[in-house]
Amino acid sequence: RAAMARAALAAAAALAAEKATSRNLTVKEATSNMSTFGEMEEAVKEFFVVRDADEVPAQAKETCRNWFYKIASIRELLPRLYVEMSIMRCYTFLTKESYDRVITRLCTMARGIADPLVSAYCLAYLCRKGREMAPQHSEYLVTAQTDLMRSFRLLNTEQTGLRDAFIRRHKMPLATWMDLFSPALDWLTQCLSPLQTRENFQLILRKYEDHQESIVLHHLVDKLKPAFLAEEALRIYQLINKCRVESYPRHLLLAELGVVCARVPPPEDHRLVLLNYVWSDVRKMQDRPLDYVTVAEAWLDFTLRHFSGEEVHIVLNDILGILRANPHVCGEDELQRNLHDIMMHLLRRYDFLKLCSMETFLPLLDHLRGDSGLLVNKSILQNFAKLDCTVQDQLVINVMFSVGKGVHDSLSSLSLDSEREEVTRLCIAFIRGVDFGRDVEKHLNFYVESRRAFANLDRVKKVLVLGVCRLIMKTHGIIKGRHNKRTAAFVRACAAYCYITIPMIDSFEDRVHLYTLSAQLALANGSLHQAEAMLAAAIRLLREIGSKPVGTALSEAAGDDADAADSSADRRAPDMDEQRAAEVLRDIRSIAAVLAAVPGHPDKGPYYLLRDLLDCARSLPWPRAGPSSADCALAALQAIAAAAQEEPAPTCRIEGLETNGILYAGDAAFPEETNEFVEELIELVMDEMAKWKEQGQSARAATAALELFNLTVHLAQLNSVSATLAGNLLTLSARLVESSAPSVKPYLENSISSLASGGDRFQTALYHRFAKS
């Protein structure tokens, strides 16, 4: 085993030496090679499979001790340190004591490295190994930090001339050379931060006061605990004013201190003093507007959290003044990022209504450009969406229009669906957050402007149409259904808005639904011609389903190539799937229900729209299994039964509007036309039933027969002819149920039972006839 261990060690050393001498290595690669070498050494421990130094054989201990003696015999300090640090874990072969003493000894040895840059990275590697071996100890971290700061003090001593000598040797500017220390300093302070105590913090600050290098203070403020830093905020501010700024600019140190104080507040009696000191320094940067805004942004957050609106106004007013005095820098990316952060601080602290009342907010908003402006606009929309009240202030609405339009116009064909959905949701929240009370005309004008501003968002246009529909009924409620000339004109304007806006919506289902809804509201408010136009448009839209060739969307052209479109125009569209057919049937039933209250046309007849709807239903490509034109015919029969009554039902009665039963009460041709249309519908249902029987769809045929039976006995005035029809339908359904459609039997039994409550003699006769069987 010892021989194998020596062989592994030799192989590891050879590998590390080969990698180290083959080419110039980066810091990361060199550290990785050292770690690889150390891991190969530590792998020797696995040959012994021990947990305690007492279990290690004497020969193994002697071999391990020999390794460290050979390392100690290396003359050069730097390789001796790095090799020992890399195999530090192997001390477990020799002793039970902690690594703290070993790490402290190595940290002391690192003081002999003459080059401060090399020393910094050596200490950084030592801290890395120390964090692996003894993560609970922090004394060596404080020692390493103070040793590094001592080397900075020697560098900055004019008598030694070391800094100038190193700069001449490396042939680089001072700032560049000092920046090379940054990764090592960052790692040292990062390792120290979790184990930091108040005593260590005070010790580090005292050591720092001896040399006052700005890059060191930068890492201390960035990584040490904010609670300790906030307690000593005034002291750190004084250190910032005294430090040498060749390695790191003072304005960034002030900004970092502001971030710390915003996160953890300083003592209350220090806050105003600190703000006054810092702001007096900020005002001296007016010839450097980028530095000015950088520091102001950091301390604005502190001011917002711990001071009143008066101090916030002073800070914002000064920022606005520097922007107006230096318009040439407003397009700089750095300044735009700072302005974005300023606006985000304000939006997190106040709601949008409060911000609009501030004199400085809107002028600051005008200075935003590009991506920063877009992000702020989205945040404003999100802030507005959280309001728990509606808005009618014209200034707020105008600002929100500008903000929303900017976000809307940023969308393109390349925008993600999630981004488009987010913008849609925010714009809808804005539209729903505006309410002008009883001033419905002003609200309609707002919807007109919204349609123009958000023309590319489909759901927004749907919400706008629904909002205008609410305005119609709001007006109806205000005047209690008694329109005067002005309100009638307003309702017609709203209906015209809907009629114009609905075709701009891409969704087929939404267009049909909104046409039907708008027609109902127009009809309820006496706008008969507009209601008829909307119902006709809905029927035309439904007819498109049967006219589109294969592969064509409902709202698109027949194809890209005109010749191909012409050649396929006569081809029937493929059958609808059952889900689409159910949606279309639902739309047809809704339109038929509305048509029950629509009076006929003096030239086109009493049922011209209902006939158009039935022709549309016949032309549609219904699926083999599912809804069919027979279901549409049954819906039309219900509409005719409601419209032909001399005393319309309350649901069909609209004040100031007469149904067909009243309008054509004295016309002898009206009953004949109604009977002819009913016979036509019944014939259509019977034809479909016969087709289903041939196809073996008995349950479907039985269900249709029972639905026609129920319409006949409950909605028609029975006579000998209609009673005979009802009896034949019930007989047919009973035969189908007995033969091949047992699932329809409960429907059959309930239909027969419903005859018992009827007072008509024909119903009673039908009940006695079929109840026994």
Side-chain angles (χ1 to χ4, degrees):
R1 286 183 177 179
M4 294 175 65
R6 284 194 294 272
L9 175 60
L15 178 61
E18 181 183 355
K19 286 187 176 182
T21 58
S22 61
R23 59 185 176 86
N24 293 329
L25 299 178
T26 64
V27 174
K28 181 178 179 180
E29 290 171 331
T31 305
S32 176
N33 289 342
M34 293 301 301
S35 298
T36 302
F37 172 61
E39 288 168 3
M40 288 181 177
E41 280 273 24
E42 293 160 12
V44 177
K45 184 180 178 181
E46 295 181 4
F47 288 105
F48 300 99
V49 193
V50 294
R51 296 182 180 180
D52 193 279
D54 294 337
E55 301 177 12
V56 179
Q59 186 180 1
K61 283 188 177 183
E62 184 63 26
T63 301
C64 184
R65 189 176 291 110
N66 189 37
W67 296 344
F68 287 107
Y69 286 158
K70 288 182 177 180
I71 292 172
S73 65
I74 300 174
R75 290 186 177 184
E76 292 80 6
L77 174 61
L78 194 60
R80 185 165 72 248
L81 275 172
Y82 271 108
V83 174
E84 185 171 356
M85 285 189 291
S86 66
I87 65 169
M88 191 188 305
R89 189 185 294 271
C90 291
Y91 273 107
T92 54
F93 285 117
L94 305 176
T95 180
K96 295 181 180 180
E97 296 180 4
S98 67
Y99 292 93
D100 194 31
R101 191 177 63 176
V102 176
I103 298 172
T104 303
R105 176 177 57 80
L106 292 174
C107 188
T108 305
M109 290 173 61
R111 295 173 182 172
I113 301 175
D115 191 321
L117 186 59
V118 176
S119 175
Y121 281 93
C122 181
L123 290 172
Y125 184 67
L126 176 61
C127 291
R128 172 183 172 177
K129 298 300 292 185
R131 196 174 186 183
E132 294 175 2
M133 304 297 107
Q136 71 278 10
H137 295 290
S138 63
E139 290 78 5
Y140 69 92
L141 294 171
V142 178
T143 303
Q145 189 83 39
T146 54
D147 287 349
L148 188 57
M149 288 191 287
R150 185 181 297 111
S151 65
F152 275 111
R153 184 182 62 184
L154 293 175
L155 279 176
N156 293 324
T157 303
E158 296 180 0
Q159 289 80 0
T160 62
L162 290 176
R163 185 168 64 179
D164 296 336
F166 283 119
I167 292 172
R168 285 194 302 270
R169 182 192 306 172
H170 296 292
K171 297 180 181 179
M172 62 178 62
L174 174 62
T176 304
W177 185 69
M178 294 297 294
D179 191 54
L180 295 176
F181 287 89
S182 190
L185 284 167
D186 183 77
W187 177 251
L188 285 171
T189 50
Q190 182 177 334
C191 291
L192 179 61
S193 181
L195 304 173
Q196 184 185 355
T197 62
R198 198 176 303 275
E199 292 75 15
N200 289 342
F201 174 76
Q202 294 294 339
L203 175 61
I204 292 172
L205 281 189
R206 286 196 301 272
K207 294 292 183 180
Y208 173 78
E209 289 174 350
D210 294 337
H211 73 89
Q212 299 175 352
E213 191 66 49
S214 58
I215 193 170
V216 177
L217 187 57
H218 155 63
H219 288 289
L220 294 178
V221 174
D222 186 47
K223 289 295 189 295
L224 296 185
K225 291 184 179 179
F228 295 162
L229 292 167
E231 290 179 0
E232 299 290 341
L234 277 176
R235 183 180 176 186
I236 294 174
Y237 167 75
Q238 293 168 357
L239 293 176
I240 291 173
N241 280 339
K242 295 177 182 178
C243 69
R244 299 178 180 88
V245 295
E246 293 89 347
S247 57
Y248 198 77
R250 179 178 285 113
H251 75 278
L252 292 181
L253 290 173
L254 288 173
E256 290 166 1
L257 180 60
V259 172
V260 171
C261 293
R263 190 186 308 171
V264 179
E268 190 170 356
D269 55 338
H270 292 177
R271 295 175 190 174
L272 185 58
V273 177
L274 180 62
L275 181 61
N276 288 333
Y277 283 160
V278 171
W279 206 248
S280 63
D281 289 345
V282 171
R283 285 176 171 171
K284 297 175 184 177
M285 304 178 189
Q286 294 190 6
D287 57 334
R288 294 173 288 148
L290 294 178
D291 298 351
Y292 186 108
V293 177
T294 299
V295 182
E297 177 269 319
W299 285 92
L300 173 64
D301 191 20
F302 170 71
T303 309
L304 286 168
R305 291 172 185 265
H306 306 299
F307 292 94
S308 64
E310 182 179 355
E311 286 82 3
V312 172
H313 175 74
I314 293 173
V315 173
L316 291 177
N317 197 49
D318 285 358
I319 295 173
L320 185 59
I322 202 70
L323 294 176
R324 288 172 174 171
N326 299 274
H328 59 282
V329 301
C330 289
E332 296 285 342
D333 291 341
E334 181 181 351
L335 187 134
Q336 286 295 316
R337 285 193 295 270
N338 289 329
L339 282 180
H340 167 267
D341 293 340
I342 288 171
M343 302 303 288
M344 295 306 296
H345 291 325
L346 293 171
L347 288 168
R348 281 192 291 266
R349 190 65 181 174
Y350 301 120
D351 63 56
F352 188 69
L353 299 182
K354 173 69 174 178
L355 290 174
C356 284
S357 64
M358 298 171 63
E359 297 178 0
T360 51
F361 176 74
L362 295 181
L364 283 174
L365 185 61
D366 291 338
H367 285 86
L368 284 164
R369 307 281 188 275
D371 292 339
S372 297
L374 177 61
L375 292 174
V376 170
N377 286 343
K378 283 185 179 180
S379 299
I380 290 174
L381 286 170
Q382 292 169 353
N383 185 294
F384 187 90
K386 296 176 183 177
L387 294 177
D388 55 358
C389 61
T390 56
V391 175
Q392 58 180 346
D393 188 307
Q394 196 60 49
L395 172 63
V396 176
I397 294 172
N398 289 340
V399 174
M400 289 301 301
F401 258 130
S402 177
V403 167
K405 186 168 178 15
V407 175
H408 168 271
D409 294 345
S410 68
L411 297 175
S412 65
S413 58
L414 302 178
S415 299
L416 298 175
D417 291 341
S418 58
E419 182 181 2
R420 185 177 294 274
E421 180 65 24
E422 180 189 13
V423 174
T424 299
R425 178 178 56 81
L426 294 175
C427 291
I428 289 174
F430 161 55
I431 291 170
R432 289 176 173 169
V434 175
D435 187 5
F436 292 95
R438 294 172 67 93
D439 194 347
V440 290
E441 292 180 342
K442 199 171 185 179
H443 208 152
L444 178 60
N445 292 334
F446 167 75
Y447 284 138
V448 172
E449 294 294 327
S450 299
R451 182 179 62 190
R452 180 166 58 247
F454 311 123
N456 296 328
L457 300 177
D458 212 41
R459 280 180 52 206
V460 172
K461 289 179 283 189
K462 177 182 176 181
V463 169
L464 290 174
V465 173
L466 292 174
V468 173
C469 290
R470 281 193 293 269
L471 284 184
I472 293 175
M473 295 313 296
K474 187 175 185 178
T475 305
H476 185 276
I478 291 174
I479 62 169
K480 299 180 180 179
R482 296 183 178 87
H483 284 284
N484 53 37
K485 186 176 181 180
R486 181 181 177 185
T487 58
F490 174 76
V491 169
R492 288 194 295 271
C494 290
Y497 179 96
C498 296
Y499 188 76
I500 294 170
T501 308
I502 291 173
M504 300 167 62
I505 299 174
D506 295 333
S507 171
F508 169 80
E509 291 81 5
D510 287 343
R511 276 186 285 163
V512 175
H513 170 70
L514 292 174
Y515 270 133
T516 308
L517 176 62
S518 302
Q520 285 179 285
L521 301 183
L523 201 62
N525 287 271
S527 298
L528 177 59
H529 295 296
Q530 290 174 304
E532 290 177 338
M534 291 180 185
L535 291 171
I539 295 172
R540 285 196 303 272
L541 196 59
L542 288 171
R543 201 183 295 273
E544 288 184 16
I545 302 175
S547 64
K548 295 296 179 184
V550 177
T552 304
L554 294 176
S555 59
E556 297 175 351
D560 295 332
D561 186 84
D563 296 335
D566 292 338
S567 63
S568 61
D570 295 332
R571 291 158 55 193
R572 180 178 173 83
D575 290 347
M576 296 181 286
D577 57 53
E578 293 188 21
Q579 181 179 358
R580 169 55 64 88
E583 293 172 353
V584 172
L585 177 61
R586 180 195 62 201
D587 293 331
I588 289 176
R589 284 173 172 169
S590 298
I591 295 173
V594 177
L595 289 175
V598 177
H601 193 276
D603 298 326
K604 299 179 182 180
Y607 301 113
Y608 80 100
L609 282 176
L610 198 57
R611 287 186 178 277
D612 284 348
L613 182 62
L614 186 62
D615 291 341
C616 169
R618 285 173 172 170
S619 67
L620 295 179
W622 298 102
R624 175 182 173 85
S628 69
S629 56
D631 298 302
C632 302
L634 293 171
L637 283 171
Q638 296 180 40
I640 292 174
Q645 297 179 29
E646 295 182 1
E647 289 294 332
T651 54
C652 298
R653 186 183 300 118
I654 299 175
E655 187 175 351
L657 197 65
E658 296 178 344
T659 61
N660 283 337
I662 300 174
L663 191 63
Y664 293 93
D667 189 353
F670 175 67
E672 296 180 3
E673 184 172 354
T674 300
N675 291 334
E676 290 178 3
F677 194 18
V678 168
E679 291 174 0
E680 181 182 347
L681 294 172
I682 293 174
E683 183 179 356
L684 173 61
V685 176
M686 299 297 289
D687 291 342
E688 289 289 323
M689 289 167 53
K691 183 177 69 174
W692 291 335
K693 286 175 62 180
E694 293 176 359
Q695 296 174 351
Q697 301 184 50
S698 301
R700 196 174 181 188
T703 301
L706 288 174
E707 289 180 356
L708 183 57
F709 165 78
N710 286 314
L711 289 177
T712 303
V713 298
H714 294 297
L715 298 183
Q717 185 175 357
L718 292 178
N719 53 31
S720 58
V721 177
S722 57
T724 301
L725 172 64
N728 293 336
L729 290 170
L730 204 56
T731 301
L732 174 62
S733 61
R735 290 175 181 174
L736 291 173
V737 167
E738 291 177 1
S739 61
S740 56
S743 60
V744 191
K745 186 174 182 180
Y747 189 14
L748 173 63
E749 294 173 350
N750 293 334
S751 298
I752 296 174
S753 300
S754 65
L755 297 173
S757 58
D760 188 273
R761 61 187 180 90
F762 292 102
Q763 292 185 11
T764 304
L766 287 171
Y767 176 74
H768 290 300
R769 174 183 169 186
F770 288 97
K772 296 179 181 180
S773 60

